[in-house]
Each structure stands twice: as C-alpha cells, then as structure tokens.
Coordinates of all heavy atoms in Angstrom, one line a residue:
M27 N -10.3 -18.5 4.7 CA -9.1 -18.1 4.1 C -9.3 -17.6 2.7 O -10.1 -18.1 1.9 CB -8.1 -19.3 4.0 CG -7.7 -19.9 5.4 SD -6.6 -18.7 6.3 CE -5.2 -18.8 5.2
P28 N -8.6 -16.5 2.3 CA -8.8 -16.0 0.9 C -8.3 -17.0 -0.1 O -7.3 -17.7 0.2 CB -8.0 -14.7 0.9 CG -7.1 -14.8 2.1 CD -7.7 -15.7 3.1
I29 N -8.9 -17.0 -1.3 CA -8.5 -17.9 -2.3 C -7.6 -17.2 -3.4 O -7.1 -17.7 -4.3 CB -9.6 -18.6 -3.0 CG1 -10.6 -17.6 -3.6 CG2 -10.3 -19.6 -2.1 CD1 -11.7 -18.2 -4.5
S30 N -7.5 -15.8 -3.2 CA -6.7 -15.1 -4.1 C -6.3 -13.8 -3.4 O -6.9 -13.5 -2.3 CB -7.4 -14.7 -5.4 OG -8.5 -13.9 -5.2
Y31 N -5.3 -13.1 -3.9 CA -4.8 -11.9 -3.3 C -4.7 -10.8 -4.4 O -4.5 -11.1 -5.5 CB -3.4 -12.1 -2.7 CG -3.4 -13.1 -1.6 CD1 -3.1 -14.5 -1.8 CD2 -3.7 -12.7 -0.3 CE1 -3.1 -15.4 -0.8 CE2 -3.7 -13.6 0.8 CZ -3.4 -15.0 0.5 OH -3.5 -15.9 1.5
P32 N -5.0 -9.6 -4.0 CA -4.9 -8.5 -5.0 C -3.5 -8.3 -5.5 O -2.5 -8.5 -4.8 CB -5.4 -7.3 -4.2 CG -5.2 -7.6 -2.7 CD -5.3 -9.1 -2.6
A33 N -3.4 -7.9 -6.7 CA -2.1 -7.6 -7.4 C -2.3 -6.5 -8.4 O -3.4 -6.3 -8.9 CB -1.6 -8.9 -8.0
E34 N -1.2 -5.9 -8.7 CA -1.2 -4.8 -9.6 C -1.6 -5.2 -11.0 O -1.0 -6.2 -11.5 CB 0.1 -4.0 -9.6 CG 0.1 -2.8 -10.4 CD 1.3 -1.9 -10.1 OE1 2.0 -2.2 -9.2 OE2 1.6 -0.9 -10.9
G35 N -2.5 -4.6 -11.7 CA -2.9 -4.9 -13.1 C -2.4 -3.9 -14.1 O -1.6 -3.1 -13.7
S36 N -2.8 -4.0 -15.3 CA -2.3 -3.2 -16.4 C -2.7 -1.7 -16.1 O -2.0 -0.8 -16.7 CB -2.8 -3.6 -17.7 OG -4.3 -3.6 -17.7
S37 N -3.7 -1.5 -15.3 CA -4.1 -0.1 -15.0 C -3.6 0.4 -13.7 O -4.0 1.4 -13.2 CB -5.6 0.0 -15.0 OG -6.1 -0.3 -16.3
G38 N -2.7 -0.4 -13.1 CA -2.1 0.0 -11.8 C -2.8 -0.6 -10.7 O -3.6 -1.5 -10.8
K39 N -2.5 -0.1 -9.5 CA -3.1 -0.6 -8.3 C -4.6 -0.1 -8.2 O -4.8 1.1 -8.4 CB -2.3 -0.1 -7.1 CG -0.9 -0.8 -7.0 CD -0.1 -0.3 -5.8 CE 1.2 -1.0 -5.8 NZ 2.1 -0.5 -4.7
T40 N -5.5 -1.0 -7.8 CA -6.9 -0.6 -7.9 C -7.3 0.4 -6.8 O -8.4 1.0 -6.9 CB -7.8 -1.9 -7.7 OG1 -7.3 -2.6 -6.5 CG2 -7.7 -2.8 -8.9
G41 N -6.4 0.7 -5.8 CA -6.7 1.7 -4.8 C -6.8 3.1 -5.5 O -7.4 4.0 -4.9
L42 N -6.2 3.2 -6.7 CA -6.3 4.5 -7.4 C -7.7 4.9 -7.8 O -7.9 6.0 -8.2 CB -5.3 4.5 -8.5 CG -3.8 4.4 -8.2 CD1 -3.0 4.2 -9.4 CD2 -3.4 5.6 -7.4
W43 N -8.6 3.9 -7.9 CA -10.0 4.2 -8.3 C -10.8 4.8 -7.3 O -11.9 5.3 -7.5 CB -10.6 2.8 -8.7 CG -10.0 2.0 -9.7 CD1 -8.8 2.3 -10.4 CD2 -10.4 0.7 -10.2 NE1 -8.5 1.3 -11.2 CE2 -9.4 0.3 -11.1 CE3 -11.4 -0.1 -9.9 CZ2 -9.5 -0.9 -11.8 CZ3 -11.5 -1.3 -10.5 CH2 -10.6 -1.7 -11.5
R44 N -10.3 4.7 -6.0 CA -11.2 5.0 -4.9 C -11.5 6.5 -4.7 O -10.7 7.4 -4.9 CB -10.4 4.6 -3.6 CG -11.2 4.4 -2.4 CD -10.3 3.8 -1.3 NE -9.1 4.6 -1.1 CZ -7.9 4.1 -1.2 NH1 -7.7 2.8 -1.4 NH2 -6.8 4.8 -1.0
T45 N -12.8 6.8 -4.4 CA -13.2 8.1 -4.1 C -13.5 8.3 -2.6 O -13.5 9.5 -2.1 CB -14.5 8.5 -4.9 OG1 -15.6 7.6 -4.6 CG2 -14.3 8.5 -6.4
E46 N -13.7 7.2 -1.9 CA -13.9 7.2 -0.5 C -13.0 6.1 0.1 O -12.8 5.1 -0.5 CB -15.3 7.0 0.0 CG -16.2 8.1 -0.3 CD -17.6 7.9 0.3 OE1 -18.1 6.7 0.2 OE2 -18.2 8.8 0.9
R47 N -12.5 6.4 1.3 CA -11.7 5.3 2.0 C -12.3 4.9 3.3 O -12.9 5.7 4.0 CB -10.3 5.8 2.2 CG -10.1 6.9 3.2 CD -8.6 7.1 3.6 NE -7.8 7.2 2.4 CZ -6.5 7.0 2.4 NH1 -5.9 6.6 3.5 NH2 -5.7 7.1 1.3
P48 N -12.2 3.6 3.6 CA -12.7 3.1 4.9 C -11.7 3.4 6.0 O -10.5 3.1 5.8 CB -12.9 1.6 4.7 CG -11.9 1.3 3.6 CD -11.7 2.5 2.8
V49 N -12.1 4.0 7.1 CA -11.2 4.2 8.2 C -11.8 3.4 9.4 O -12.9 3.5 9.8 CB -11.2 5.7 8.6 CG1 -10.4 6.0 9.8 CG2 -10.6 6.6 7.4
V50 N -10.9 2.6 9.9 CA -11.3 1.7 11.0 C -11.1 2.4 12.4 O -10.0 2.8 12.7 CB -10.6 0.4 11.0 CG1 -11.0 -0.6 12.1 CG2 -10.7 -0.3 9.6
H51 N -12.1 2.5 13.2 CA -12.0 3.0 14.5 C -11.9 1.9 15.5 O -12.9 1.2 15.9 CB -13.2 3.9 14.9 CG -13.3 5.1 13.9 ND1 -12.4 6.2 14.0 CD2 -14.2 5.4 12.9 CE1 -12.8 7.1 13.1 NE2 -13.8 6.6 12.4
L52 N -10.7 1.6 15.9 CA -10.4 0.4 16.7 C -11.1 0.4 18.1 O -11.4 -0.6 18.7 CB -8.9 0.1 16.9 CG -8.2 -0.2 15.6 CD1 -6.7 -0.5 15.9 CD2 -8.8 -1.4 14.9
D53 N -11.4 1.6 18.6 CA -12.1 1.7 19.9 C -13.5 1.1 19.8 O -14.1 0.8 20.8 CB -12.1 3.1 20.4 CG -12.8 4.1 19.4 OD1 -12.6 3.9 18.1 OD2 -13.5 5.0 19.8
K54 N -14.1 1.0 18.6 CA -15.4 0.4 18.4 C -15.4 -1.0 17.9 O -16.4 -1.6 17.8 CB -16.2 1.3 17.4 CG -16.5 2.7 17.9 CD -17.4 3.4 16.8 CE -17.7 4.8 17.2 NZ -18.4 5.5 16.1
C55 N -14.2 -1.5 17.6 CA -14.1 -2.8 17.0 C -14.2 -3.9 18.0 O -13.6 -3.9 19.0 CB -12.8 -2.9 16.2 SG -12.5 -4.5 15.5
I56 N -15.0 -4.9 17.7 CA -15.2 -6.1 18.6 C -14.6 -7.3 18.0 O -14.8 -8.5 18.5 CB -16.7 -6.3 18.9 CG1 -17.5 -6.6 17.6 CG2 -17.3 -5.2 19.7 CD1 -18.9 -7.0 17.9
K57 N -13.8 -7.2 16.9 CA -13.0 -8.3 16.3 C -13.9 -9.4 15.8 O -13.5 -10.6 15.8 CB -12.0 -8.9 17.3 CG -11.0 -7.9 17.9 CD -10.0 -8.6 18.8 CE -9.1 -7.6 19.6 NZ -8.2 -8.3 20.4
C58 N -15.1 -9.0 15.3 CA -16.0 -10.1 14.8 C -15.5 -10.6 13.4 O -15.9 -11.6 13.0 CB -17.4 -9.5 14.7 SG -17.6 -8.2 13.4
L59 N -14.7 -9.7 12.7 CA -14.2 -10.1 11.4 C -15.2 -10.2 10.3 O -14.9 -10.7 9.2 CB -13.3 -11.4 11.5 CG -12.1 -11.3 12.4 CD1 -11.4 -12.6 12.5 CD2 -11.2 -10.2 12.0
F60 N -16.4 -9.6 10.5 CA -17.4 -9.6 9.4 C -16.8 -8.8 8.2 O -17.0 -9.1 7.0 CB -18.7 -8.9 9.8 CG -19.6 -9.8 10.6 CD1 -19.2 -11.1 10.9 CD2 -20.8 -9.3 11.1 CE1 -20.0 -11.9 11.7 CE2 -21.6 -10.1 11.8 CZ -21.3 -11.4 12.1
C61 N -16.1 -7.7 8.5 CA -15.5 -6.9 7.4 C -14.5 -7.7 6.6 O -14.5 -7.6 5.4 CB -14.9 -5.6 8.0 SG -13.6 -5.9 9.2
W62 N -13.7 -8.4 7.3 CA -12.7 -9.3 6.7 C -13.4 -10.4 5.8 O -12.9 -10.6 4.7 CB -11.9 -9.9 7.8 CG -10.8 -10.9 7.3 CD1 -9.6 -10.6 6.8 CD2 -10.9 -12.3 7.5 NE1 -8.9 -11.8 6.6 CE2 -9.7 -12.8 7.0 CE3 -11.8 -13.2 8.0 CZ2 -9.4 -14.2 7.0 CZ3 -11.5 -14.5 7.9 CH2 -10.3 -15.0 7.4
L63 N -14.5 -10.9 6.3 CA -15.2 -11.9 5.5 C -15.9 -11.3 4.3 O -15.9 -12.0 3.2 CB -16.3 -12.6 6.4 CG -15.8 -13.6 7.4 CD1 -16.9 -14.0 8.3 CD2 -15.3 -14.8 6.6
Y64 N -16.5 -10.1 4.4 CA -17.3 -9.6 3.3 C -16.5 -8.8 2.3 O -17.1 -8.6 1.2 CB -18.4 -8.8 3.9 CG -19.6 -9.6 4.4 CD1 -19.7 -10.0 5.7 CD2 -20.6 -10.0 3.5 CE1 -20.7 -10.7 6.2 CE2 -21.7 -10.7 4.0 CZ -21.7 -11.1 5.3 OH -22.8 -11.9 5.8
C65 N -15.4 -8.3 2.6 CA -14.6 -7.5 1.6 C -14.4 -8.3 0.3 O -13.7 -9.3 0.4 CB -13.3 -7.0 2.2 SG -12.3 -6.2 1.0
P66 N -14.9 -7.8 -0.8 CA -14.7 -8.6 -2.0 C -13.3 -8.5 -2.6 O -13.0 -9.2 -3.6 CB -15.7 -7.9 -3.0 CG -15.9 -6.5 -2.5 CD -15.7 -6.6 -1.0
E67 N -12.5 -7.6 -2.1 CA -11.1 -7.4 -2.7 C -10.0 -8.0 -1.8 O -8.9 -7.9 -2.1 CB -10.9 -5.9 -2.8 CG -11.9 -5.2 -3.7 CD -12.0 -5.7 -5.1 OE1 -10.9 -6.2 -5.6 OE2 -13.0 -5.7 -5.7
D68 N -10.4 -8.6 -0.7 CA -9.4 -9.1 0.3 C -8.5 -8.0 0.7 O -7.3 -8.2 0.8 CB -8.6 -10.3 -0.3 CG -7.8 -11.0 0.7 OD1 -8.2 -11.1 1.9 OD2 -6.7 -11.5 0.4
T69 N -9.0 -6.8 1.0 CA -8.1 -5.7 1.4 C -8.4 -5.3 2.8 O -7.9 -4.3 3.3 CB -8.3 -4.5 0.4 OG1 -9.7 -4.2 0.3 CG2 -7.7 -4.8 -0.9
I70 N -9.2 -6.1 3.5 CA -9.3 -6.0 5.0 C -8.3 -7.0 5.5 O -8.4 -8.2 5.2 CB -10.7 -6.3 5.6 CG1 -11.7 -5.2 5.2 CG2 -10.6 -6.4 7.1 CD1 -11.6 -3.9 5.9
L71 N -7.3 -6.6 6.3 CA -6.2 -7.5 6.7 C -6.3 -7.6 8.2 O -6.7 -6.7 8.9 CB -4.9 -6.9 6.3 CG -4.7 -6.6 4.8 CD1 -3.4 -5.9 4.5 CD2 -4.8 -7.9 4.0
R72 N -5.9 -8.8 8.7 CA -6.0 -9.1 10.1 C -4.6 -8.9 10.8 O -3.6 -9.4 10.2 CB -6.4 -10.5 10.3 CG -7.8 -10.8 10.0 CD -8.1 -12.2 9.9 NE -8.1 -12.9 11.2 CZ -8.5 -14.1 11.4 NH1 -9.0 -14.8 10.4 NH2 -8.5 -14.7 12.6
R73 N -4.6 -8.3 11.9 CA -3.4 -8.2 12.7 C -3.3 -9.5 13.6 O -4.2 -10.3 13.7 CB -3.4 -7.0 13.6 CG -3.5 -5.7 12.9 CD -3.3 -4.5 13.8 NE -3.5 -4.5 15.2 CZ -3.7 -3.5 16.0 NH1 -3.6 -2.3 15.5 NH2 -3.9 -3.6 17.3
E74 N -2.1 -9.7 14.2 CA -2.0 -10.9 15.1 C -3.0 -10.9 16.2 O -3.5 -12.0 16.6 CB -0.6 -10.8 15.8 CG 0.6 -11.1 14.8 CD 0.9 -12.5 14.7 OE1 0.7 -13.3 15.7 OE2 1.3 -13.0 13.6
D75 N -3.4 -9.7 16.7 CA -4.4 -9.7 17.7 C -5.9 -9.7 17.2 O -6.8 -9.5 18.0 CB -4.2 -8.5 18.6 CG -4.3 -7.2 17.9 OD1 -4.6 -7.2 16.7 OD2 -4.0 -6.1 18.5
D76 N -6.1 -9.9 15.9 CA -7.4 -9.9 15.2 C -8.0 -8.6 15.1 O -9.2 -8.5 14.6 CB -8.3 -10.9 15.9 CG -8.2 -12.3 15.3 OD1 -7.6 -12.4 14.2 OD2 -8.7 -13.3 15.9
Y77 N -7.4 -7.5 15.4 CA -7.9 -6.2 15.0 C -7.6 -6.1 13.5 O -6.7 -6.9 12.9 CB -7.2 -5.1 15.7 CG -7.8 -4.8 17.0 CD1 -7.1 -4.9 18.2 CD2 -9.1 -4.4 17.2 CE1 -7.6 -4.6 19.5 CE2 -9.7 -4.1 18.4 CZ -8.9 -4.2 19.5 OH -9.5 -4.0 20.8
V78 N -8.3 -5.2 12.8 CA -8.2 -5.2 11.3 C -7.6 -3.9 10.8 O -7.7 -2.9 11.5 CB -9.5 -5.5 10.6 CG1 -10.0 -6.9 10.9 CG2 -10.6 -4.4 11.1
Y79 N -7.0 -3.9 9.6 CA -6.6 -2.7 9.0 C -6.8 -2.8 7.5 O -7.1 -3.9 7.0 CB -5.1 -2.3 9.3 CG -4.1 -3.3 8.9 CD1 -3.3 -3.1 7.8 CD2 -3.9 -4.5 9.6 CE1 -2.4 -4.0 7.4 CE2 -3.0 -5.4 9.2 CZ -2.2 -5.2 8.1 OH -1.3 -6.1 7.7
V80 N -6.7 -1.7 6.7 CA -7.0 -1.7 5.3 C -5.8 -1.6 4.5 O -4.8 -0.9 4.7 CB -7.9 -0.5 5.0 CG1 -8.3 -0.5 3.5 CG2 -9.2 -0.6 5.9
D81 N -5.7 -2.4 3.4 CA -4.7 -2.3 2.4 C -5.1 -1.3 1.4 O -5.9 -1.5 0.5 CB -4.5 -3.7 1.7 CG -3.5 -3.6 0.6 OD1 -3.0 -2.5 0.2 OD2 -3.2 -4.7 0.0
Y82 N -4.7 0.0 1.6 CA -5.1 1.1 0.7 C -4.5 1.0 -0.7 O -5.0 1.7 -1.6 CB -4.8 2.4 1.4 CG -5.6 2.7 2.6 CD1 -5.0 2.9 3.9 CD2 -7.0 2.8 2.5 CE1 -5.8 3.1 5.0 CE2 -7.8 3.1 3.6 CZ -7.2 3.3 4.9 OH -7.9 3.5 6.0
D83 N -3.6 0.2 -0.9 CA -3.1 0.0 -2.3 C -4.1 -0.6 -3.2 O -4.2 -0.3 -4.4 CB -1.8 -0.9 -2.3 CG -0.6 -0.2 -1.9 OD1 -0.6 1.1 -1.9 OD2 0.4 -0.9 -1.6
Y84 N -5.0 -1.4 -2.6 CA -5.9 -2.2 -3.5 C -7.4 -2.0 -3.1 O -8.3 -2.4 -3.8 CB -5.6 -3.6 -3.5 CG -4.2 -3.9 -4.2 CD1 -3.1 -4.2 -3.4 CD2 -4.1 -3.8 -5.6 CE1 -1.9 -4.3 -4.1 CE2 -2.9 -3.9 -6.2 CZ -1.8 -4.2 -5.4 OH -0.6 -4.4 -6.1
C85 N -7.7 -1.4 -1.9 CA -9.1 -1.2 -1.5 C -9.7 -0.2 -2.6 O -9.2 0.8 -2.9 CB -9.1 -0.5 -0.1 SG -10.7 0.3 0.2
K86 N -10.9 -0.6 -3.1 CA -11.6 0.2 -4.1 C -12.6 1.2 -3.5 O -13.2 1.9 -4.2 CB -12.3 -0.7 -5.1 CG -11.4 -1.5 -5.9 CD -12.2 -2.4 -6.9 CE -11.2 -3.3 -7.7 NZ -12.0 -4.3 -8.5
G87 N -12.8 1.1 -2.2 CA -13.7 2.1 -1.5 C -15.2 1.8 -1.7 O -16.0 2.7 -1.7
C88 N -15.5 0.5 -1.9 CA -16.9 0.2 -2.2 C -17.8 0.4 -1.0 O -19.0 0.5 -1.1 CB -17.0 -1.3 -2.7 SG -16.5 -2.5 -1.4
G89 N -17.3 0.3 0.2 CA -18.1 0.5 1.4 C -18.7 -0.7 2.0 O -19.5 -0.6 3.0
I90 N -18.5 -1.9 1.4 CA -19.2 -3.1 1.9 C -18.7 -3.4 3.3 O -19.5 -3.8 4.2 CB -18.9 -4.3 1.0 CG1 -19.6 -4.1 -0.4 CG2 -19.3 -5.6 1.6 CD1 -19.3 -5.1 -1.4
C91 N -17.5 -3.2 3.6 CA -17.0 -3.4 5.0 C -17.7 -2.6 6.0 O -18.1 -3.0 7.1 CB -15.5 -3.2 5.1 SG -15.0 -1.5 4.5
A92 N -17.9 -1.3 5.7 CA -18.6 -0.4 6.6 C -20.1 -0.8 6.8 O -20.6 -0.7 7.9 CB -18.6 1.0 6.0
Q93 N -20.7 -1.3 5.7 CA -22.1 -1.8 5.8 C -22.2 -3.1 6.6 O -23.2 -3.3 7.4 CB -22.7 -2.1 4.4 CG -22.9 -0.8 3.6 CD -24.0 0.0 4.1 OE1 -25.0 -0.5 4.5 NE2 -23.8 1.3 4.1
A94 N -21.1 -3.9 6.6 CA -21.2 -5.2 7.3 C -20.8 -5.1 8.7 O -21.1 -5.9 9.5 CB -20.2 -6.2 6.6
C95 N -20.2 -4.0 9.1 CA -19.7 -3.8 10.5 C -20.9 -3.6 11.5 O -21.6 -2.6 11.4 CB -18.7 -2.7 10.6 SG -18.1 -2.4 12.3
P96 N -21.1 -4.5 12.5 CA -22.2 -4.3 13.4 C -22.1 -3.2 14.4 O -23.1 -2.8 15.0 CB -22.3 -5.7 14.1 CG -20.9 -6.2 14.0 CD -20.3 -5.7 12.8
T97 N -20.9 -2.7 14.6 CA -20.7 -1.6 15.6 C -20.4 -0.3 15.0 O -20.0 0.7 15.7 CB -19.5 -2.0 16.5 OG1 -18.3 -2.1 15.8 CG2 -19.8 -3.4 17.2
H98 N -20.5 -0.2 13.6 CA -20.2 1.0 12.9 C -18.8 1.5 13.2 O -18.5 2.7 13.3 CB -21.2 2.1 13.2 CG -22.6 1.7 13.0 ND1 -23.2 1.5 11.8 CD2 -23.6 1.4 13.9 CE1 -24.4 1.0 11.9 NE2 -24.7 1.0 13.2
A99 N -17.9 0.6 13.3 CA -16.5 0.9 13.6 C -15.7 1.4 12.3 O -14.6 1.9 12.4 CB -15.7 -0.3 14.2
I100 N -16.3 1.2 11.1 CA -15.7 1.6 9.9 C -16.4 2.8 9.3 O -17.6 2.7 9.0 CB -15.6 0.4 8.9 CG1 -14.9 -0.8 9.5 CG2 -14.9 0.9 7.6 CD1 -14.8 -2.0 8.6
E101 N -15.7 3.9 9.1 CA -16.3 5.1 8.6 C -15.7 5.3 7.2 O -14.5 5.2 6.9 CB -15.9 6.2 9.5 CG -16.4 7.6 9.0 CD -15.9 8.7 9.9 OE1 -15.0 8.5 10.8 OE2 -16.3 9.9 9.8
M102 N -16.6 5.6 6.2 CA -16.2 5.9 4.9 C -16.0 7.5 4.8 O -16.9 8.2 5.1 CB -17.2 5.5 3.8 CG -17.5 4.0 3.8 SD -16.0 3.0 3.5 CE -15.6 3.5 1.8
V103 N -14.8 7.9 4.4 CA -14.5 9.3 4.3 C -14.0 9.6 2.9 O -13.3 8.8 2.3 CB -13.4 9.7 5.4 CG1 -13.9 9.4 6.8 CG2 -12.1 9.1 5.2
P104 N -14.3 10.8 2.4 CA -13.8 11.2 1.1 C -12.3 11.2 1.0 O -11.6 11.6 2.0 CB -14.4 12.6 0.9 CG -15.5 12.7 1.9 CD -15.1 11.9 3.1
E105 N -11.8 10.8 -0.1 CA -10.3 11.0 -0.3 C -10.0 12.5 -0.4 O -10.8 13.3 -1.0 CB -9.9 10.4 -1.7 CG -9.9 8.9 -1.7 CD -8.8 8.3 -0.8 OE1 -7.9 9.0 -0.4 OE2 -8.9 7.1 -0.5
P106 N -9.0 12.9 0.3 CA -8.7 14.3 0.4 C -8.5 15.1 -0.9 O -9.0 16.2 -1.1 CB -7.5 14.4 1.3 CG -6.9 13.0 1.3 CD -8.0 12.1 1.0
S107 N -7.8 14.5 -1.8 CA -7.5 15.2 -3.1 C -7.4 14.1 -4.1 O -6.4 13.5 -4.3 CB -6.3 16.0 -3.0 OG -5.2 15.2 -2.7
L108 N -8.4 14.0 -4.9 CA -8.5 12.9 -5.9 C -7.4 13.2 -7.0 O -7.2 14.3 -7.4 CB -9.8 12.9 -6.6 CG -11.0 12.5 -5.6 CD1 -12.3 12.5 -6.3 CD2 -10.7 11.1 -5.0
G109 N -6.7 12.2 -7.4 CA -5.7 12.3 -8.4 C -4.3 12.5 -7.9 O -3.4 12.3 -8.6
S110 N -4.2 12.8 -6.6 CA -2.8 13.0 -6.1 C -2.4 11.7 -5.5 O -3.2 10.8 -5.3 CB -2.8 14.1 -5.1 OG -3.6 13.7 -4.0
E111 N -1.2 11.6 -5.1 CA -0.6 10.4 -4.5 C -1.3 10.1 -3.2 O -1.5 11.0 -2.4 CB 0.9 10.5 -4.3 CG 1.5 9.2 -3.9 CD 3.0 9.3 -3.8 OE1 3.5 10.3 -4.3 OE2 3.6 8.4 -3.2
R112 N -1.6 8.9 -2.9 CA -2.3 8.5 -1.7 C -1.5 7.5 -0.9 O -0.8 6.7 -1.5 CB -3.7 7.9 -2.0 CG -4.6 8.8 -2.7 CD -5.8 8.1 -3.3 NE -6.6 8.9 -4.1 CZ -7.5 8.5 -4.9 NH1 -7.8 7.2 -5.0 NH2 -8.2 9.3 -5.6
A113 N -1.6 7.6 0.4 CA -0.9 6.6 1.3 C -1.8 5.4 1.5 O -3.0 5.5 1.5 CB -0.6 7.3 2.6
Ligands
LIG25 S1 -14.2 -0.4 1.0 FE1 -14.6 -2.3 -0.2 S2 -12.7 -2.9 -1.0 FE2 -12.2 -1.4 0.6 S3 -11.8 -2.6 2.4 FE3 -14.0 -2.1 2.4 S4 -15.0 -3.8 1.5 FE4 -12.9 -4.0 0.9
LIG26 S1 -16.8 -5.7 11.2 FE1 -16.4 -3.9 12.5 S2 -16.3 -4.8 14.6 FE2 -16.1 -6.5 13.2 S3 -13.8 -6.8 12.9 FE3 -14.5 -5.4 11.3 S4 -14.2 -3.3 12.1 FE4 -14.2 -4.8 13.9

C-alpha cells in the first residue's frame, strides 16, 4: 500500500515536467503489478480488475515502470508538444 499520494506543489502538477509518457498496452499486461510497486511517484493506479493505468497529472515520465515490466507492456513515447496542455 502507498504511504503517500501525489499532490500539487508550488510549481504545479509534476506531470508538467514530463518529456516522455508511459503508455500501457493492456493486451501485453499480465497484471503482475511490478510497475505499480516500482513507480516512485505512486502514479501507476490499479483498476478493480488489477489492470493498471497512469495518473498523467503527476507521472514524471522517469520510465522506471517500463523498465520493471517483464512483458514490455509499457512503452515510453515522446510528449507530442512540450509546453502545451496535456491530458
Ligand atoms: S514513468 Fe515513472 S513516474 Fe511515471 S508512472 Fe512510470 S514509474 Fe511512475
Ligand atoms: S509491470 Fe507490465 S505486466 Fe505487470 S502490471 Fe505493469 S504493465 Fe502489466
């Protein structure tokens, strides 16, 4: 269980720092939850069925989740336009 949760700081939401974003390909996901365990920002979130998704408001794009994933289900892709509003 996480011991803290991300929150907006004086510089805004930390997702604004990101240059790459993790994209989860659920067709390759085996629900091992390694990404959820290793993410240092607690921005890998679990669905009811234990598939995972990313909190893009606070994910910093470090890529640790992609490195931890044994099935390469997480792909790091460049942010489309840095500095513009992101979903
Ligand atoms: S890229 Fe880093 S911060 Fe974002 S979800 Fe993956 S491990 Fe967490
Ligand atoms: S580490 Fe990969 S396979 Fe495991 S839950 Fe995360 S995305 Fe799915």
Side-chain angles (χ1 to χ4, degrees):
M27 296 291 292
I29 57 172
S30 65
Y31 295 94
E34 188 166 347
S36 58
S37 298
K39 293 178 178 176
T40 49
L42 294 172
W43 304 357
R44 196 175 51 239
T45 59
E46 289 186 318
R47 67 168 51 202
V49 174
V50 182
H51 298 289
L52 294 183
D53 57 320
K54 295 182 181 176
C55 178
I56 57 172
K57 304 182 185 180
C58 67
L59 299 177
F60 282 0
C61 56
W62 177 76
L63 282 170
Y64 280 93
C65 173
E67 304 299 329
D68 189 33
T69 50
I70 294 282
L71 305 176
R72 291 168 68 170
R73 300 189 335 197
E74 287 275 327
D75 60 6
D76 271 343
Y77 279 118
V78 295
Y79 62 103
V80 179
D81 176 355
Y82 289 118
D83 279 346
Y84 294 104
C85 163
K86 293 178 181 171
C88 67
I90 290 174
C91 55
Q93 291 292 319
C95 178
T97 64
H98 307 290
I100 302 179
E101 178 184 10
M102 298 302 294
V103 300
E105 287 291 348
S107 57
L108 299 177
S110 64
E111 187 176 347
R112 298 168 186 167

